[in-house]
Amino acid sequence: MTLTHRRILILLLVVMIAAVLGRLAVRATMNLLLGGTLFGGNFL
């Protein structure tokens, strides 16, 4: 595998992780604003 292929693969991996964490961060802030549980469960 050449260096260019490795860089593209690492870049795609970082982009995917950033998208997942970004969606989770948006969901967490909306939950704080709206007053719900983050993962949809009942904690009581």
Side-chain angles (χ1 to χ4, degrees):
M1 193 186 302
T2 62
L3 189 63
T4 310
H5 283 107
R6 177 174 254 148
R7 281 185 181 173
I8 291 173
L9 194 64
I10 291 173
L11 186 64
L12 284 175
L13 192 66
V14 167
V15 165
M16 284 175 54
I17 291 172
V20 169
L21 288 180
R23 283 183 55 89
L24 192 61
V26 167
R27 191 171 170 190
T29 53
M30 289 299 290
N31 253 312
L32 283 175
L33 289 175
L34 298 174
T37 59
L38 185 58
F39 298 106
N42 240 348
F43 286 118
L44 297 176

